[in-house]
Amino acid sequence: MNGTVTPTTSGTYDFVVVSNRLPVDRVFEPDGSASWTRSPGGLVTALEPVMRQNEGAWIGWGGQPDLEFEPFDSGGIRVIPVVLSDDDIGNYYEGFSNDTLWPLYHDVIAPPSFHREWWDSYVEVNQRFADAAAAASAPGAVVWVQDYQLQLVPKLLRELRPDLTIGFFNHIPFPPYGIYSQLPWRTQIVEGLLGADVIGFQRVADASNFQRAVRRLKGYVTKGSQVEVPLIDRSPGVRVFGEIKRQGSFRTVVARAFPISIDASSFEALARTPAIQERAHQIREELGNPKTIMLGVDRLDYTKGIGHRLKAYGELLAEGRLSSEDVTLVQVANPSRERVQAYMALRDEIELTVGRINGDYGTIAHVPISYQHHGFPREEMVALYLAADVMLVTALRDGMNLVAKEYVACRFDEDGVLVLSEFAGASDELKRALLINPHDIDGLKETILQAVSMPKRDRAARMRSLRKRVIEHDVSRWSADFLKVLESRAHHGSPGHPL
Ligand code: GDG
């Protein structure tokens, strides 16, 4: 970061979001024609008003190999493509992002693979995203880069456009240094992130892990949420900070927690719709009117602890402490990353376990697990949340876990029990959930029984408190908090804005 680069020609957008995937999906009609539909994620909902108020653009990949198209407007957002080839998808996305960084950042639950050609592709594709952002951004624009696939973009973009204010948000955990240090390219990634003015994490612990990595790898001083990045970089570990400070030649980067949330009011509004409430009753009937419906909703991912959940449930059925006459577990396992080997193995393992439990403890009339290996429309998800007496979130490691917050937002009836893993970021906020350690199978079993038999008054008291938190801290507050801090950095110590 020496600031001695030629700024590229600037664009016209004052607010630019950069994420791996665009907020639109290409859909093909039976007649072969194609169109774009808006993906309904919380991030898009939160950023849409900011995009409309400022000249906003969103840069990302269209989701298919070699998909080139002209930028277009979608509901007030300028959509600008980055093209990825089949090789890029295999190496940068499925390889380095999903088979190196993802397992490494989730406590090495699965072993990460380190391949130098994947890294080369990651660098190359990050450069492509940075180039696109540099070309689209107006002078002095605010750029917000999203997630672990693009950790080099802040530095690459700052080199091209020192006039920009750059934010980065990491949606997944940042691992403890003992794990992070396995990464052969650990220093380059830290340097990449430090190109930002503000780096957001889900949890306070993630921000501390990152700051420790900065101290260990770069020797920079951290103070509270601030990292002092010398403008003239010395070799790592050379302790020259007193001198640098006297010269005032460093920029400060804010690295702290901004826990993400959901569009709580839109979930509640759906839940209050009579048709969706009717559908929730219908679901219960279709399941044979069990006393208790338990629900799991996850991408089929080894971080989500689906196997641990099934183990606890299977044992409770085996011991006769739960019966399939009384309880049904609906498990939505949304297909994910199906070309990555670890995900293929996980699917086989989960489906074998589901088959065994249903075979061993089911009757003709009652199946203990209703297993759904496909996605559902959002309305059906909300009906499932309303129908579920107990929501099971048993992640082994999860940046936040939005499903937990969605369940709470939907339960305007102040009923339902949330069982929530301590290893999900959401547990920092949702303290009145029944918190569990998913590795402790006996503890998980006891907690499931506690949830199933919790008196209504206790359920209501807990749910009221959970709802207060989620409603007051929704996704628009999250983006407003982040952008406020980011905009306050606009004149603080980047090379474009000297101290
Ligand atoms: C990453 C981090 C962090 C799931 N199945 C269906 C469906 N979903 C929706 C859920 C929820 C979202 O997908 C999943 O979000 P999570 O937070 O649970 O998990 P990740 O996908 O792993 O997300 C995570 C998040 O980023 C945000 O920062 O919380 O920790 O890993 O919104 O509702 N939606 C519909 N049908 C489905 O079948 N419509």
Side-chain angles (χ1 to χ4, degrees), residues 171 202 299 304 334 375-376 381 398-402 406:
H171 289 255
Q202 300 278 28
R299 271 188 312 100
K304 303 290 182 182
N334 217 337
F376 286 99
M381 298 281 301
D398 212 337
M400 177 54 63
N401 196 289
L402 299 181
E406 289 166 4

Side-chain angles (χ1 to χ4, degrees), residues 62-297:
Q64 285 154 28
D66 298 315
L67 184 60
E68 283 184 59
F69 56 90
E70 285 303 310
F72 63 90
D73 288 316
S74 165
I77 300 177
R78 188 73 171 165
V79 173
I80 302 177
V82 169
V83 180
L84 297 186
S85 68
D86 251 329
D87 277 355
D88 297 331
I89 296 166
N91 295 325
Y92 144 80
Y93 181 61
E94 292 172 341
F96 198 77
S97 298
N98 289 340
D99 207 14
T100 305
L101 293 173
W102 180 270
L104 188 80
Y105 280 33
H106 288 89
D107 286 357
V108 294
I109 296 164
S113 308
F114 300 119
H115 295 296
R116 284 164 285 184
E117 61 276 28
W118 289 0
W119 165 252
D120 292 343
S121 172
Y122 187 79
V123 175
E124 198 189 304
V125 172
N126 270 247
Q127 184 69 59
R128 206 175 302 160
F129 276 85
D131 291 344
S137 302
V142 169
V143 181
W144 194 0
V145 183
Q146 307 287 328
D147 228 357
Y148 63 103
Q149 301 93 351
L150 301 177
Q151 291 174 99
L152 304 178
V153 169
K155 177 183 186 223
L156 297 171
L157 184 55
R158 182 172 293 283
E159 285 171 356
L160 292 165
R161 293 287 305 275
D163 59 304
L164 302 177
T165 302
I166 304 170
F168 180 91
F169 186 76
N170 201 44
H171 289 255
I172 68 172
F174 195 89
Y177 186 70
I179 290 177
Y180 180 72
S181 57
Q182 289 181 22
L183 185 66
W185 308 279
R186 59 197 186 185
T187 307
Q188 291 95 313
I189 295 268
V190 160
E191 287 171 351
L193 290 169
L194 287 173
D197 296 288
V198 179
I199 311 170
F201 296 94
Q202 300 278 28
R203 308 180 86 162
V204 172
D206 298 319
S208 321
N209 289 342
F210 172 72
Q211 292 203 357
R212 175 141 191 261
V214 169
R215 289 192 298 270
R216 292 294 298 266
L217 294 167
K218 300 296 298 176
Y220 296 166
V221 170
T222 62
K223 283 183 188 160
S225 65
Q226 306 214 338
V227 182
E228 296 180 351
V229 179
L231 289 179
I232 302 159
D233 203 357
R234 312 284 169 119
S235 46
V238 179
R239 306 238 163 223
V240 289
F241 306 114
E243 179 199 343
I244 283 173
K245 254 204 236 168
R246 274 196 301 281
Q247 293 170 349
S249 54
F250 61 86
R251 47 186 276 274
T252 55
V253 173
V254 173
R256 51 159 273 207
F258 294 88
I260 201 170
S261 194
I262 57 162
D263 183 6
S265 60
S266 83
F267 275 94
E268 176 165 347
L270 274 179
R272 285 183 183 275
T273 311
I276 290 182
Q277 289 176 39
E278 177 50 36
R279 176 65 192 139
H281 290 302
Q282 205 182 5
I283 288 172
R284 185 172 286 273
E285 268 169 31
E286 286 174 6
L287 292 170
N289 277 314
K291 278 195 201 127
T292 305
I293 296 175
M294 300 202 293
L295 176 65
V297 173

